[in-house]
């Protein structure tokens, strides 16, 4: 068993860096708080027996040697959203450090080398560019990412260079994956499925694929008092019906979710029948085919509205393939859970994680741990000490097992 007191103390201590008046944590990348967190992590990584390096973008990498030169990667992030919680990302990094610390205390030499990585800028809350660290390691970072600005118009590159990171050399961060056995990430669920099912941990089947659209419904604008109801082509009424249709149809597909998060009316006046409504649509599923059939059904519905005099434009703004977790590793995790008297439960990750960038480069797997009430990205995000310990213990045993396989 891992040392749950030490693990929880580390979670609390890291949570003090960037503490807000509201009781949350704000730790944006390339800030003083982020640098303090780096110093803290380097210290506890070294205490765990890891030798630490920091790469050009600021990823903190702790390495421990094993019996072979192959390596197993394990990590997450320690940046937060504005006024976020203590557990998102941090548990994955601190749990992996704890696992290595226990190997050392228990004189376990892993079968291969292990690298624990705290990735830079996963959340993308300061700059418009996200997952800087894991994308750099996977060779997917682009020059345009360095130009992303924060709200004070400071480009990411400038913020990083000010703190001494030679970020223009980001290509040097990329790994050669031929000797990488896999990538493992422990993360809080950030949803309420495990809490509803009263399970401490779950095995992630994969990270959902994502399609995002901007949709515009055009009608006939006019005076709100003068145009009789019978003569109207009001895009707001079409929007209402279409959004209910989308909500109803998406439920046919298991695990799939669809969200309309932004809605604008133009010109947006109380006494004007609007000219057009523009809204966002975010659709996620592990099965791309499901997303595609949902979109087809939606487009057929659009045609029905076009026959009623509306005009509808749909533009795809983002298209990410799902990242499926490796069957062998998930099987290993399931066996370890059974030995710990925990029923393996499989779930999809609707949220993106650093792990998705490793998909296609090496086998990936994720362990989710229960978030109380599903709260996340808020100050009262909470996972109990016992749940953190159970999940980290599964991670610990999985790391040893995979390093030897
Ligand atoms: Zn996270």
């Amino acid at each position: 068993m891992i040392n749950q007191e030490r693990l929880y103390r580390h979670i609390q201590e890291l949570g003090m860096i960037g503490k807000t008046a509201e009781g949350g944590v704000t730790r944006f990348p390339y800030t003083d708080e982020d640098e303090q967190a780096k110093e803290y992590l380097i210290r506890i990584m070294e205490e765990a027996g890891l030798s630490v390096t920091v790469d050009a973008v600021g990823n903190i990498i702790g390495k421990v040697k094993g019996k072979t030169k192959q390596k197993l990667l394990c990590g997450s992030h320690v940046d937060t959203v504005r006024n976020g919680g203590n557990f998102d990302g941090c548990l994955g990094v601190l749990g992996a450090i704890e696992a290595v610390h226990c190997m050392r205390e228990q004189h376990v030499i892993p079968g291969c080398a292990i690298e624990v990585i705290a990735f830079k800028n996963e959340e993308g809350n300061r700059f418009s560019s996200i997952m800087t660290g894991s994308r750099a390691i996977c060779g997917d970072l682009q020059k345009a990412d360095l130009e992303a600005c924060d709200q004070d118009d400071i480009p990411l590159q400038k913020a990083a260079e000010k703190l001494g990171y030679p970020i223009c050399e980001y290509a040097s961060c990329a790994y050669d994956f031929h000797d990488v056995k896999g990538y493992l990430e422990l993360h809080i669920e950030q949803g309420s499925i495990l809490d509803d099912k009263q399970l401490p941990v779950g095995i992630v089947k994969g990270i959902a694929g994502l399609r995002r659209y901007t949709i515009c419904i055009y009608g006939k604008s006019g005076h709100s008092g003068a145009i009789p109801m019978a003569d109207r082509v009001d895009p707001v009424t079409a929007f209402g019906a279409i959004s209910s249709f989308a909500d109803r149809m998406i439920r046919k597909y298991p695990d799939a979710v669809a969200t309309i998060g932004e809605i604008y009316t133009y010109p947006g006046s109380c006494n004007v029948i609007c000219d057009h409504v523009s809204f966002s649509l975010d659709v996620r599923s592990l099965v791309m085919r499901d997303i595609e059939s949902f979109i087809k059904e939606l487009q057929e519905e659009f045609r029905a509205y076009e026959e009623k005099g509306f005009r509808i434009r749909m533009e795809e703004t983002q298209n990410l393939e799902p990242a499926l977790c490796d069957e062998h590793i998930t099987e290993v995790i399931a066996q370890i859970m059974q030995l710990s008297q925990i029923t393996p439960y499989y779930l999809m990750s609707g949220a993106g994680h650093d792990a998705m960038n490793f998909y296609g480069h090496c086998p990936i797997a994720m362990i989710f741990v229960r978030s109380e009430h599903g709260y996340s990205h808020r100050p009262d995000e909470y996972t109990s000490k016992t749940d953190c310990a159970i999940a980290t213990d599964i991670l610990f045993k999985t790391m040893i097992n995979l390093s030897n396989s």
Side-chain angles (χ1 to χ4, degrees):
M1 190 71 191
I2 58 99
N3 184 332
Q4 64 170 9
E5 297 304 324
R6 178 171 58 204
L7 172 65
Y8 220 66
R9 177 166 50 81
H10 286 161
I11 293 169
Q12 305 300 326
E13 285 172 352
L14 183 54
M16 292 308 291
I17 305 171
K19 188 116 239 107
T20 64
E22 297 90 349
V25 189
T26 302
R27 215 165 37 234
F28 283 176
Y30 306 118
T31 58
D32 290 345
E33 295 77 35
D34 190 33
E35 287 295 290
Q36 275 178 49
K38 178 182 84 178
E39 295 310 320
Y40 178 77
L41 286 177
I42 291 174
R43 181 164 68 73
I44 65 165
M45 277 182 167
E46 287 174 348
E47 282 168 10
L50 290 153
S51 52
V52 186
T53 52
V54 178
D55 71 8
V57 305
N59 289 315
I60 307 159
I61 305 169
K63 301 178 187 175
V64 64
K65 287 199 172 95
K67 292 172 193 156
T68 69
K69 284 224 153 53
Q70 281 189 295
K71 54 191 176 191
L72 177 66
L73 313 179
C74 200
S76 200
H77 61 96
V78 297
D79 64 312
T80 71
V81 296
R82 189 181 299 282
N83 217 17
N86 280 357
F87 300 88
D88 178 2
C90 298
L91 177 62
V93 175
L94 298 173
I97 295 171
E98 177 57 33
V100 171
H101 203 148
C102 289
M103 287 180 207
R104 181 155 105 146
E105 286 173 339
Q106 297 171 22
H107 308 290
V108 175
I109 298 169
C112 69
I114 291 177
E115 294 193 8
V116 177
I117 313 173
F119 299 108
K120 185 63 81 183
N121 185 32
E122 191 266 356
E123 299 284 5
N125 253 229
R126 176 176 174 192
F127 305 99
S128 54
S129 174
I130 67 166
M131 297 193 188
T132 308
S134 47
R135 287 170 58 226
I137 283 183
C138 294
D140 300 328
L141 200 68
Q142 313 281 329
K143 194 152 189 338
D145 289 297
L146 308 191
E147 289 152 19
C149 287
D150 67 6
Q151 61 178 19
D152 299 320
D153 271 335
I154 300 170
L156 190 147
Q157 180 179 338
K158 213 167 160 196
E161 283 173 346
K162 198 174 162 215
L163 293 167
Y165 298 104
I167 195 162
C168 278
E169 296 161 25
Y170 63 86
S172 67
C173 303
Y175 274 36
D176 172 1
F177 280 90
H178 86 273
D179 59 351
V180 175
K181 280 188 153 183
Y183 172 79
L184 267 180
E185 183 165 351
L186 165 65
H187 203 281
I188 56 166
E189 185 204 337
Q190 303 180 281
S192 52
I193 297 174
L194 295 173
D195 199 30
D196 288 346
K197 300 223 174 283
Q198 301 190 313
L199 289 168
V201 275
I203 305 172
V204 178
K205 291 188 281 190
I207 299 165
L210 161 78
R211 289 274 175 91
R212 272 195 196 137
Y213 302 88
T214 300
I215 302 169
C216 263
I217 308 175
Y218 296 87
K220 225 160 54 187
S221 187
H223 193 291
S224 68
I227 311 281
M229 292 311 284
D231 290 346
R232 295 190 184 201
V233 184
D234 183 349
V236 172
T237 60
F239 168 77
I242 286 168
S243 68
S244 316
F245 176 83
D247 183 82
R248 214 165 46 242
M249 295 316 276
I250 196 71
R251 289 168 201 262
K252 289 200 309 195
Y253 304 100
D255 290 342
V257 287
T259 309
I260 294 171
E262 288 176 338
I263 311 160
Y264 304 100
T265 59
Y266 298 91
S269 303
C270 65
N271 59 351
V272 180
I273 301 165
C274 85
D275 176 72
H276 63 282
V277 174
S278 158
F279 61 100
S280 64
L281 176 67
D282 169 310
V283 192
R284 302 178 194 223
S285 169
L286 271 188
V287 186
M288 269 333 236
R289 224 178 27 247
D290 288 353
I291 297 186
E292 279 153 18
S293 6
F294 166 75
I295 292 300
K296 230 174 118 200
E297 284 169 321
L298 197 63
Q299 284 169 330
E300 275 161 25
E301 186 72 359
F302 289 171
R303 271 191 282 284
Y305 278 87
E306 283 177 332
E307 278 163 22
K308 293 177 193 165
F310 294 98
R311 203 157 50 80
I312 304 181
R313 284 240 177 90
M314 182 174 195
E315 189 200 342
E316 187 181 277
T317 54
Q318 210 172 357
N319 183 344
L320 283 177
E321 292 295 310
L324 302 178
C325 289
D326 181 72
E327 277 177 29
H328 167 69
I329 306 182
T330 49
E331 183 54 37
V332 168
I333 299 169
Q335 283 167 8
I336 288 167
M337 283 172 71
Q338 267 158 342
L339 288 173
S340 311
Q341 322 296 332
I342 300 163
T343 315
Y345 179 80
Y346 296 85
L347 71 172
M348 175 189 89
S349 174
H353 295 290
D354 288 303
M356 61 197 261
N357 297 307
F358 288 84
Y359 181 66
H361 294 290
C362 66
I364 64 164
M366 288 191 79
I367 301 166
F368 268 176
V369 57
R370 164 167 53 190
S371 298
E372 197 180 84
H373 307 305
Y375 292 170
S376 182
H377 283 187
R378 43 191 279 177
D380 52 2
E381 173 182 280
Y382 177 72
T383 295
S384 72
K385 190 195 282 184
T386 317
D387 284 358
C388 287
I390 292 171
T392 304
D393 200 54
I394 292 167
L395 177 73
F396 166 61
K397 289 169 179 158
T398 306
M399 285 164 77
I400 294 174
N401 184 308
L402 290 180
S403 77
N404 283 305
S405 68

